Amino acid sequence: MKVRDALLAGARGLWLAIFGLVMSILLFVLTVLSICLVVLGVGLVTTPLAVKALRAYADMRRGQAEDWAGVRIPTPYGPARPAPRAGIVGRVEQCVALLKDKATWRDLQWLLVDMTLGTVLALLPAVLLVYAIWGPVLALGVWKPIVRADGTFWFTFVPVTDQFTANLAAATGLGFGVVGLFVNRLLMRGHALLNRQLLRPTRERELTLRVDRLTESRHDAVDSSAAELRRIERDLHDGAQARLVAMGMSLGTIEALIEKDPAQAKRLLAAARADSAEALTELRDLVRGIHPPVLAERGLGDAVRALALRMPLPVEVDVELAGRAEAPVESAAYFAVSEVLTNAAKHSGARRVWVDMHHADGTLRIAVTDNGRGGAGRPGAGAAGGGTGLLGIERRLGAFDGVLGVSSPVGGPTMVTMEIPCVLG
């Protein structure tokens, strides 16, 4: 395992050193040159393109830092701006906005660091592995023609002049290889941490982005609450209220017929009893849709298990929760899972669904996986694919600083992950 990890870290480090050095130099030169050409007018066209390419490259490196070293680097860029106005005025406004954005200059600083210290740090894992091979190769006799041609040959700090020193070089190289087994992954993590220092948002930027996110979440929460209230009013008006009105009219008719036609009165009374039972069922369903009783009484884990039993396809639920979250968080998580399961049952063509729910590091993590046809999130892929279902879930979770992730390649499987920061009590 260590050998594989060390080799993988060396290969990734070599790729970062070569590709990263080329891209960093290229993007730095292009971006700085475009900014300098703004005064001549050419930069008004090239600067937005150069900055866009720079940010795309920085985002790619953020993703690699998380995938390869487990270091998550938040993006400092704000939401996408609307298309600039046509003409020279729009171009000027776009360039001014990009040049006033501190993230642009921090990205340029990062390119300077990445092409110098970052390249050296990325090369180290590969160098340790190369020395582990080069040392024994020298000891096999390769040292002889080298020494005859150039005299003393230095292998790191070992001067190779004869077979003994060549053997010493081989031992040194193997020592470097052993060191690489233990430090290569740490070096890659150090490289990612170095990138994070400049690629992450500043404290001021984090606060600004958080305020923007909370403002958007508040608007979404207000809209969701209004939509939920309209749904409740509609369900009451079209369901239980209509049945109760009909039952009241039937009771009035029964009162008039109780002495004249007792048989007809009994039939109407039986119908009224059936209406009352249906109205009670609809009210219970409505209450369950607002806040399921099992959720309030037994908690999120048992509520999801009960939900799974009502699904038309097999659902396996794995819950590891050492307590209960606050009621609003449990409610948001429950209805998010319910929406995902409903989408899976209706649109995925899945034969089985798995729900995994656990809490760690102050975050409630839920993963819903199905073995359906995949393609969720694409236009024309059903309710979820069309965006309304997933968007509604994202808005519901966003009110609690939660995030939603979807992995759904064509052909499946589909995995929907939800994370909500919370504390279990």
Side-chain angles (χ1 to χ4, degrees):
M1 190 69 174
K2 283 186 176 296
V3 174
R4 188 195 68 180
D5 290 344
L7 291 175
L8 190 59
R12 288 171 173 173
L14 184 62
W15 185 89
L16 285 174
I18 298 175
F19 180 78
L21 179 63
V22 173
M23 289 299 298
S24 294
I25 293 176
L26 179 63
L27 287 172
F28 183 83
V29 172
L30 289 178
T31 305
V32 172
L33 187 60
S34 293
I35 293 174
C36 293
L37 291 177
V38 167
V39 294
L40 300 179
V42 179
L44 296 177
V45 178
T46 59
T47 297
L49 297 176
V51 172
K52 183 178 180 180
L54 171 56
R55 292 186 174 185
Y57 176 64
D59 282 337
M60 185 191 75
R61 294 289 295 272
R62 290 185 183 94
Q64 289 176 341
E66 184 171 5
D67 294 339
W68 293 356
V71 177
R72 183 176 180 274
I73 307 177
T75 179
Y77 316 126
R81 295 178 177 272
R85 290 188 292 175
I88 187 67
V89 175
R91 294 284 184 181
V92 171
E93 290 177 348
Q94 187 180 24
C95 285
V96 169
L98 290 174
L99 296 180
K100 289 175 63 177
D101 192 345
K102 293 182 179 180
T104 302
W105 301 104
R106 284 176 62 84
D107 284 350
L108 287 172
Q109 294 174 32
W110 165 70
L111 290 178
L112 286 174
V113 173
D114 189 59
M115 70 177 69
T116 52
L117 181 59
T119 299
V120 173
L121 195 57
L123 268 177
L124 283 177
V127 169
L128 291 174
L129 297 178
V130 169
Y131 274 132
I133 299 173
W134 179 230
V137 168
L138 282 175
L140 292 176
V142 175
W143 64 273
K144 294 179 181 179
I146 297 177
V147 170
R148 292 194 190 103
D150 299 329
T152 301
F153 172 74
W154 286 85
F155 180 85
T156 62
F157 52 83
V158 178
V160 179
T161 57
D162 52 26
Q163 186 62 49
F164 174 76
T165 53
N167 293 337
L168 188 59
T172 303
L174 292 175
F176 282 137
V178 173
V179 171
L181 293 179
F182 294 93
V183 305
N184 273 9
R185 290 187 64 187
L186 297 178
L187 288 172
M188 290 301 297
R189 182 171 177 82
H191 184 272
L193 292 174
L194 175 66
N195 289 339
R196 189 173 69 173
Q197 295 304 310
L198 288 172
L199 287 180
R200 68 180 179 184
T202 61
R203 180 62 178 170
E204 177 186 355
R205 185 63 173 173
E206 283 182 340
L207 292 175
T208 301
L209 293 174
R210 179 166 176 78
V211 168
D212 292 342
R213 177 174 174 80
L214 289 176
T215 301
E216 182 180 358
S217 298
R218 184 189 64 185
H219 291 159
D220 290 339
V222 171
D223 293 341
S224 297
S225 298
E228 187 70 10
L229 181 59
R230 289 193 298 270
R231 183 188 69 82
I232 294 171
E233 292 175 345
R234 183 178 64 252
D235 290 346
L236 284 173
H237 182 271
D238 297 341
Q241 178 178 325
R243 293 192 181 279
L244 291 174
V245 170
M247 187 173 65
M249 296 174 62
S250 296
L251 290 175
T253 304
I254 292 170
E255 186 178 8
L257 293 175
I258 194 68
E259 295 180 355
K260 298 179 181 179
D261 191 351
Q264 180 65 16
K266 287 182 179 181
R267 287 193 293 270
L268 291 175
L269 189 59
R273 185 187 302 113
D275 285 340
S276 68
E278 292 182 6
L280 182 59
T281 300
E282 290 178 354
L283 286 174
R284 285 174 177 169
D285 292 340
L286 183 62
V287 170
R288 186 180 292 112
I290 299 172
H291 194 79
V294 66
L295 181 61
E297 297 170 4
R298 303 290 299 276
L300 180 60
D302 286 340
V304 171
R305 290 190 183 98
L307 177 65
L309 293 175
R310 298 198 301 269
M311 297 302 297
L313 71 168
V315 179
E316 295 183 14
V317 181
D318 183 17
V319 178
E320 293 183 11
L321 299 178
R324 296 191 57 175
E326 296 180 353
V329 174
E330 286 192 335
S331 179
Y334 173 84
F335 285 109
V337 172
S338 176
E339 180 72 19
V340 174
L341 290 177
T342 301
N343 286 336
K346 289 183 177 179
H347 308 290
S348 70
R351 298 183 303 277
R352 184 172 292 274
V353 181
W354 295 265
V355 179
D356 178 73
M357 187 182 310
H358 66 277
H359 184 273
D361 301 326
T363 302
L364 173 64
R365 294 182 172 88
I366 305 171
V368 181
T369 308
D370 68 66
N371 59 359
R373 67 176 66 93
R378 295 182 300 107
T388 56
L390 294 178
L391 182 58
I393 296 172
E394 190 172 26
R395 287 177 174 175
R396 185 186 292 273
L397 300 180
F400 302 92
D401 268 358
V403 295
L404 174 74
V406 180
S407 174
S408 185
V410 176
T414 294
M415 174 180 286
V416 179
T417 57
M418 295 165 275
E419 296 186 357
I420 309 176
C422 65
V423 177
L424 299 186

